[in-house]
Amino acid sequence: MKRIRLFSDGGLGGLVVLLAFLLFNESPLVGLDGLALELSARTGTPPPESHTLIITLSGADGGPIVDPLSRHEELLRLLARLEPLQPTALVLNGLSTGASLSPALRQWRESAAQWLEQGEASPEAERLLGGALALTATDTRLSEALAHFNPRIFLHDDSQPQGEPAVLLPFPAPSESPWLSSLPSPWQPSLQGQGALLVQMSKSDVEGPATLRGGVRLFYAEEEGVRPTLPLRLTAAHLGAEPEAMSIGAEGGVSVGNHYLQSDAAYRFLPRTPAAKPLQMRSNELLLADDAELERLRSRLVFVVDSAQQADSLELAREVESLLGVSGYTTVEWATWSRLAALLLVGLTLIVLLPRLGVAAAASVVMVELVLLLNAQLLLVLINGEWLPLLYPSVALLVGSLIIFSRRWLQQPYQQLQERYAALTQQHARLLLNDGKLEPAFVQLQRCQGSEEVLALLYEVGLSGEQRRQFALAERVFTHIVSLQADYRDAAERQRINREAHERLVLPGQSLNSMDATMVVAGEGLQNPVLGRYQIESELGRGAMGVVYLGSDPKINRTVAIKTLALGQEFEGEQYTQVLERFMREAETAGRLNHPNIVTIYDVGEEEDLAYIAMDYLQGEGLDYYTRPETLLPVSEVMGIIEQVAEALDYAHANGVVHRDIKPANIIYNRDTQVATVTDFGVAHLADSSKTKTGTVMGSPYYMSPEQLAGTKVDGRADLFSLGVTFFQLLSGELPFQADSIAQLMYKITNSRHPSVRKLRPEVSNCGGRIVNKLLQKELGKRYQSGQQVVEALQRCLKQGN
């Protein structure tokens, strides 16, 4: 599997998913799902009947009242107007009354007392004292008026809510709740600030509106248990239910008298539709209203507020309206598990799936998943009235996919340049591969990313290296392929095969005779090797100067014989360069020979440490097969073979080509057609090289002429001497010169007379014996001077009946 880089498509998707998991514990009602819940509630039609009335204390002109005495007097008139309307509860927000004196009243009293104690009488002191007495009298009347309202609740900026104390409701600890205990510990949602049970709340949570986005919190926690929140207490007051009459369900839901509030397991009320809009008035409007208009305000929950607290009171009234007139959602027990599963699905999509797809396919996948997630949420809402918070993973999917698509769009120019560069690099590598330059081709492909096209080219380079016996290179190529894609074709197996083949190779400095062959033809799992453009199929034979293979030319589907010479094993340094240049030159010259008794040479070349000649594949046997006593040919047939070889040599000598290594093994004879063909033109010049680096002499010393052994310049007559040795051996089954060492052999060839061939084989005619003797003359002048002379002598002898 490919590695995921940090800023790749999969890496960016992983970062989004990681962030989503880190924020997983955020309350769904405070986050995105809370916003969705709020928007969902606002799409419905609110109830026509409201239960709450908000009265903002104001002067006759409708503006705020600054003077405390005037504020209290206005409030007295307002309470007198409200009392006949029988409010279900009275909430005063931001108004200083009763036992909680206003800061202005306290200041007036303290200042007046100080002046009186000091005995200082002044108009200012009398004014303050008079104001304090008047405000005190008004405050007394105000306390008496408020006594007619029950329940009544006072909200101040610096104190706890006043009025009837709330009754503590015992409840089990969260660890005992099935909803919480079913969660794995890393994913238990953080309960702080969510209004969940038995959670320490801050002072602001208690004093401020107990609101949650999209929902209403029903309880807040204290050390002894839980208290109803102010919206729930006001709801109970409006319904006339005592706090003791409240009952709560183990899995959510609260009964307030005969009114049942559906909630989730954390006791949050999730409204399905918008609440009724609270009725709002100014105090001067109420004081001027007629009786019919006042009757419309009867039996409402009344808020009397200062203008500064109007917004807070409005929010509180809306929550009460939600609890009084709107049905609520429940949440499924497996809501958290479903969010976790959905987020895991989103992670797999962003990290694994989208990076493998094109833009169109990836967009389709994202749309399908979004539809599934949102429809699952919608169907539960419509069918069962259950709220399943799946907007969070949906938004994570949307954000992650947008980031991935944006990255692709921003990288398009760079990616196009990369693609063009990769295409040019691949073209260059293909040209190098076609030219047999495997190492440079591999270097070029290493710069490319592991696309399917690059892997295919690398695989070709690896196979070519294997076929050309460059096993170390092939192993490196297949190792690179495995690092890019471990399961690509059989790259891992080819890596092992080439490593083992490389370990079996003979080390430099070993003799050719110690080698299994000049190249590995077959092995377990190895590809058949190639030389140049020729495919090697099998081994045909071997000699002192190399190995002959059966091969094919795939371009024209022609079977060829390929003779290889491991020059790198036998020569080194400057000598190797000279020998190779001479071999190429003479092999090309021999390739221009066109004679029915000379093998056709198609190609000559060098690869690595091997020189090779591709020639026509001949049917038949080497004449060395017929040099054994038990396989000797008839004398007349031997003379016919020597005649054909002499004609071939005469043609070659006339074209300036000397064979230098005529011997039975270099003559292929087909008895069915009785055609003899001379091979290895252009190869035997290596016999003229003194010694190889292994200390051996290449060539066939038994067939060498005296002038070859003497190291003097040779011509076609040296080939005729070698032909005489071959003629002698084919007739008698023995060599004319034999010795126990090379030195003795060279001495005999140069100085000793050969035995009579007629004594070894009596059926040889006198003329046949004379032809052999003349071919084996040590002096050039006494030897036949051309192949044509040998042909004519043989023809005359054959006419005489051998």
Side-chain angles (χ1 to χ4, degrees), residues 346-410:
V346 169
L348 290 175
T349 302
L350 294 178
I351 298 173
V352 179
L353 189 57
L354 294 193
R356 299 174 180 266
L357 299 177
V359 174
S364 300
V365 169
V366 171
M367 291 301 298
V368 170
E369 285 196 22
L370 285 176
V371 169
L372 290 176
L373 290 174
L374 297 179
N375 278 338
Q377 187 171 14
L378 181 61
L379 288 175
L380 279 174
V381 166
L382 295 178
I383 296 175
N384 294 334
E386 295 177 321
W387 183 257
L388 182 62
L390 292 180
L391 184 62
Y392 180 72
S394 301
V395 172
L397 174 62
L398 185 60
V399 170
S401 59
L402 288 177
I403 290 176
I404 290 174
F405 294 152
S406 299
R407 174 188 176 275
R408 292 187 183 181
W409 180 75
L410 292 174

Side-chain angles (χ1 to χ4, degrees), residues 716-759:
R717 290 173 292 182
D719 287 343
L720 296 181
F721 183 91
S722 301
L723 181 61
V725 177
T726 301
F727 194 8
F728 186 98
Q729 190 176 16
L730 288 172
L731 289 173
S732 64
E734 295 183 10
L735 287 165
F737 305 104
Q738 299 185 52
D740 295 331
S741 66
I742 293 294
Q744 291 178 357
L745 178 63
M746 294 174 64
Y747 178 82
K748 285 188 175 182
I749 292 174
T750 305
N751 299 287
S752 301
R753 181 175 175 80
H754 61 276
S756 171
V757 69
R758 296 187 69 235
K759 290 183 178 180

Side-chain angles (χ1 to χ4, degrees), residues 773-789:
N773 293 338
K774 191 167 185 178
L775 285 171
L776 294 178
Q777 286 294 327
K778 304 183 187 307
E779 296 182 18
L780 288 173
K782 296 180 180 180
R783 201 180 303 162
Y784 288 110
Q785 300 300 299
S786 68
Q788 184 58 36
Q789 292 180 1

Side-chain angles (χ1 to χ4, degrees), residues 389-715:
L390 292 180
L391 184 62
Y392 180 72
S394 301
V395 172
L397 174 62
L398 185 60
V399 170
S401 59
L402 288 177
I403 290 176
I404 290 174
F405 294 152
S406 299
R407 174 188 176 275
R408 292 187 183 181
W409 180 75
L410 292 174
Q411 284 199 332
Q412 274 185 353
Y414 175 69
Q415 188 174 3
Q416 290 173 354
L417 287 175
Q418 275 191 323
E419 290 174 354
R420 285 197 290 269
Y421 173 76
L424 292 173
T425 303
Q426 292 173 38
Q427 291 177 6
H428 188 200
R430 171 65 69 181
L431 293 175
L432 293 171
L433 174 61
N434 293 338
D435 289 342
K437 299 176 181 178
L438 305 184
E439 184 72 42
F442 178 44
V443 171
Q444 290 291 321
L445 292 175
Q446 282 180 302
R447 301 172 182 171
C448 300
Q449 295 182 351
S451 64
E452 189 65 30
E453 295 79 6
V454 170
L455 289 172
L457 265 177
L458 283 168
Y459 192 81
E460 287 188 47
V461 172
L463 288 182
S464 297
E466 180 179 320
Q467 292 172 332
R468 297 174 187 275
R469 303 176 305 112
Q470 300 178 29
F471 301 119
L473 171 63
E475 181 189 354
R476 286 193 289 119
V477 173
F478 287 120
T479 300
H480 184 62
I481 293 175
V482 170
S483 69
L484 295 177
Q485 185 174 328
D487 57 348
Y488 186 78
R489 299 189 190 178
D490 60 343
E493 180 65 16
R494 304 234 71 84
Q495 175 190 12
R496 180 191 64 81
I497 291 172
N498 282 273
R499 181 176 62 253
E500 294 176 354
H502 177 60
E503 291 171 353
R504 291 198 304 267
L505 282 179
V506 179
L507 297 175
Q510 289 184 309
S511 170
L512 180 64
N513 293 330
S514 67
M515 296 178 63
D516 180 63
T518 54
M519 63 193 308
V520 177
V521 175
E524 184 180 353
L526 282 175
Q527 297 286 312
N528 282 343
V530 294
L531 277 176
R533 69 173 188 267
Y534 302 102
Q535 182 78 42
I536 305 299
E537 297 178 2
S538 62
E539 181 180 319
L540 294 176
R542 65 180 65 194
M545 297 174 65
V547 181
V548 181
Y549 298 98
L550 177 66
S552 62
D553 186 344
K555 289 188 176 181
I556 56 177
N557 195 26
R558 176 168 58 193
T559 301
V560 294
I562 302 174
K563 183 157 189 174
T564 62
L565 299 101
L567 300 183
Q569 296 286 336
E570 300 299 340
F571 302 95
E572 61 183 4
E574 184 178 353
Q575 185 184 22
Y576 170 79
T577 303
Q578 294 174 354
V579 168
L580 180 62
E581 290 177 353
R582 186 176 178 187
F583 163 74
M584 290 291 186
R585 184 173 59 253
E586 296 200 14
E588 290 174 5
T589 301
R592 292 193 291 269
L593 298 177
N594 184 14
H595 190 275
N597 297 112
I598 297 177
V599 68
T600 302
I601 294 178
Y602 299 123
D603 193 12
V604 60
E606 176 202 13
E607 186 165 305
E608 295 299 318
D609 56 346
L610 287 181
Y612 66 88
I613 296 178
M615 62 189 77
D616 189 19
Y617 174 61
L618 302 174
Q619 300 290 335
E621 300 283 349
L623 282 181
D624 53 341
Y625 175 78
Y626 300 105
T627 58
R628 298 191 293 270
E630 65 275 12
T631 58
L632 294 178
L633 297 171
V635 174
S636 59
E637 191 172 351
V638 172
M639 295 183 70
I641 293 172
I642 298 302
E643 180 184 351
Q644 295 180 56
V645 175
E647 287 180 350
L649 292 176
D650 187 68
Y651 169 80
H653 297 160
N655 285 273
V657 178
V658 179
H659 191 288
R660 295 184 180 86
D661 193 24
I662 292 295
K663 59 182 178 181
N666 286 339
I667 303 170
I668 304 300
Y669 180 60
N670 188 340
R671 289 202 73 183
D672 294 335
T673 60
Q674 293 192 342
V675 174
T677 306
V678 182
T679 66
D680 275 12
F681 274 97
V683 177
H685 74 90
L686 297 176
D688 291 341
S689 302
S690 57
K691 281 192 177 182
T692 66
K693 65 183 180 181
T694 58
T696 62
V697 177
M698 298 184 70
S700 306
Y702 288 102
Y703 302 90
M704 288 184 178
S705 64
E707 58 269 28
Q708 280 180 282
L709 294 176
T712 60
K713 185 176 181 179
V714 298
D715 56 22

Side-chain angles (χ1 to χ4, degrees), residues 55 92 141 182 202 256 264 297 382 405 452 454 459 654-655 679 689 710 770:
I55 302 173
L92 273 65
R141 292 163 50 206
S182 66
S202 65
V256 182
D264 66 3
L297 305 178
L382 295 178
F405 294 152
E452 189 65 30
V454 170
Y459 192 81
N655 285 273
T679 66
S689 302
R770 289 196 297 271

